[in-house]
Amino acid sequence: MAIIRSEPKHRVIHRSPPFGLVVRNFRFGDWTTMLGLGAVGFPLGAVCTDHRFLRIPLGCAMAFIGSCAGFVIAYQSSSLRFMGFKENDKESKKFPERLGEVSLDTMQ
């Protein structure tokens, strides 16, 4: 777990959002980042080699690496919105109550 020393600038929805919640709330921009980096990876990998038989495997490997990098960027962006460090108006409307808090009503 990271130690965050700055104060959130927006409303905190969840202090430590779980994996499923973060992935379920990817925005369109998060998906385009992930798919775009994967799409750019294939041609980039294909032109990086002079050997003809390595173009397809290297292109696929670079597309996979690009998609993984895009997923990490999208995950970070979505997670920061839940923690209040990025603009989260859509998430605030979707989750009017703060998540991840234990109250006396839920313990009964």
Side-chain angles (χ1 to χ4, degrees), residues 32-42 62-63 65-71 73:
T32 55
T33 299
M34 183 170 50
L35 297 174
L37 286 175
V40 167
F42 186 83
M62 288 294 287
I65 291 170
S67 296
C68 288
F71 176 79
I73 292 169

Side-chain angles (χ1 to χ4, degrees), residues 45-103:
V47 299
C48 284
T49 183
D50 293 334
H51 301 289
R52 192 171 175 174
F53 64 92
L54 285 178
R55 288 185 184 158
I56 300 291
L58 191 58
C60 291
M62 288 294 287
F64 177 73
I65 291 170
S67 296
C68 288
F71 176 79
V72 169
I73 292 169
Y75 187 89
Q76 179 183 15
S77 179
S78 181
S79 182
L80 288 175
R81 283 194 298 270
F82 275 111
M83 292 188 282
F85 292 102
K86 289 185 87 175
E87 176 273 318
N88 61 2
D89 291 337
K90 291 181 183 177
E91 287 81 6
S92 294
K93 290 176 185 172
K94 189 173 183 180
F95 302 104
E97 297 178 6
R98 186 170 171 167
L99 300 175
E101 296 294 319
V102 178
S103 66

